[in-house]
Amino acid sequence: MKRILIIEDDQVISEVEKDYLEASGYEVEIAASGDLGLKKALENEYDLIILDLMLPNTDGFEICRRVRQAKNIPILMVSAKREEIDKIRGLGLGADDFVTKPFSVGELMARVKAHLARYDRLISNNVGTHKEEIQIRGIRIDKLSRKVFVNETEIPFTSKEFDLLLFLTTHPNRVFSKDELFEKIWGLDSNGDNATVTVFIGKLREKIETNPSNPKYIETIWGVGYRFNV
């Protein structure tokens, strides 16, 4: 049974989420404060975390940063704050997704299922005996260990960053729209939500490009999308 941690100080919201998740067969725990949520997240094993942004004691940004340093499980951040900068910051700290309140329970459930399914595929794809690598002009990607080396220096990647880089490098010289990339990597329709892809493309460039402002690998095709050049 998949275990999910909800870090949310609004009892009504957390209980509704818990009821729906348990009805779908998940084991759910709730933490009503940031300090307690961080403690639970670091000391226990969960398959996914639903993380509110505005929390007493320790906010969602700090929790996301601390958890991501220790674990690679999906983090779904939720917030009533609609500013684009908050979403960009949350994704930049390692959140896998960002949902703005109010949202339907159906939307939340769809995102939870999509992230868990993708994480399961990630784990199963790591099982094997033969090492597979992709090498492109100074970049080496070890698909089995999910490690990335730039000029033989290992660069840390989050799960979603690795998924996006792997997808682009296994489909070189092809242009993908933001909507296509969101669907391929996050397993959901974008519904016009393009900021997530933009943030992750920026993070990839920071990690693999010599000059992120003048990228040689990941090219922006204005009005269309992105292309990985080989």
Side-chain angles (χ1 to χ4, degrees):
M1 182 181 292
K2 300 292 186 184
R3 297 186 68 203
I4 296 176
L5 174 63
I6 299 173
I7 308 177
E8 169 66 69
D9 63 329
D10 188 315
Q11 184 177 358
V12 174
I13 292 176
S14 62
E15 290 294 342
V16 169
E17 292 174 351
K18 183 174 186 289
D19 288 345
Y20 274 86
L21 288 166
E22 288 182 337
S24 295
Y26 301 115
E27 180 182 338
V28 182
E29 292 185 27
I30 295 174
S33 72
D35 288 352
L36 178 59
L38 180 59
K39 185 174 186 295
K40 282 180 171 288
L42 293 178
E43 295 181 356
N44 300 287
E45 294 300 321
Y46 299 99
D47 296 286
L48 181 142
I49 296 174
I50 299 174
L51 174 62
D52 187 34
L53 177 56
M54 304 302 293
L55 293 163
N57 307 128
T58 306
D59 67 22
F61 291 129
E62 178 64 14
I63 294 172
C64 183
R65 185 185 68 81
R66 295 278 299 279
V67 172
R68 186 52 76 221
Q69 288 176 341
K71 302 185 178 184
N72 210 19
I73 62 171
I75 299 174
L76 177 55
M77 187 174 282
V78 298
S79 175
K81 300 181 72 174
R82 295 178 175 273
E83 288 82 358
E84 194 83 344
I85 189 63
D86 292 307
K87 180 171 187 174
I88 292 172
R89 184 183 175 192
L91 295 171
L93 288 171
D96 294 283
D97 205 352
F98 192 106
V99 183
T100 304
K101 297 178 182 178
F103 52 81
S104 70
V105 177
E107 177 187 3
L108 181 67
M109 291 297 297
R111 290 176 183 264
V112 166
K113 290 178 181 178
H115 285 294
L116 286 173
R118 185 166 293 277
Y119 190 68
D120 283 344
R121 289 195 293 273
L122 179 160
I123 298 301
S124 63
N125 286 341
N126 284 344
V127 177
T129 57
H130 298 290
K131 187 175 182 180
E132 295 184 68
E133 289 189 348
I134 297 173
Q135 297 192 41
I136 301 173
R137 291 187 290 123
I139 297 175
R140 179 164 61 90
I141 303 170
D142 187 328
K143 296 167 66 177
L144 183 60
S145 65
R146 294 179 66 84
K147 292 182 178 181
V148 179
F149 300 84
V150 179
N151 296 322
E152 292 308 312
T153 298
E154 183 178 351
I155 307 297
F157 275 68
T158 67
S159 173
K160 281 293 183 293
E161 290 169 359
F162 185 91
D163 289 344
L164 180 56
L165 179 64
L166 183 61
F167 179 80
L168 289 171
T169 54
T170 52
H171 299 82
N173 301 319
R174 176 178 167 185
V175 180
F176 291 93
S177 70
K178 293 178 182 179
D179 288 345
E180 287 176 317
L181 291 174
F182 192 87
E183 181 179 354
K184 295 291 185 182
I185 305 305
W186 282 263
L188 299 160
D189 291 334
S190 69
N191 294 320
D193 181 7
N194 292 326
T196 298
V197 174
T198 302
V199 170
F200 275 80
I201 290 291
K203 290 180 71 63
L204 292 191
R205 285 173 170 163
E206 290 174 1
K207 295 184 176 186
I208 68 173
E209 301 279 1
T210 302
N211 181 3
S213 62
N214 185 27
K216 303 300 182 183
Y217 292 108
I218 304 175
E219 181 183 4
T220 298
I221 309 301
W222 294 106
V224 183
Y226 300 101
R227 174 175 61 206
F228 194 96
N229 295 316
V230 299

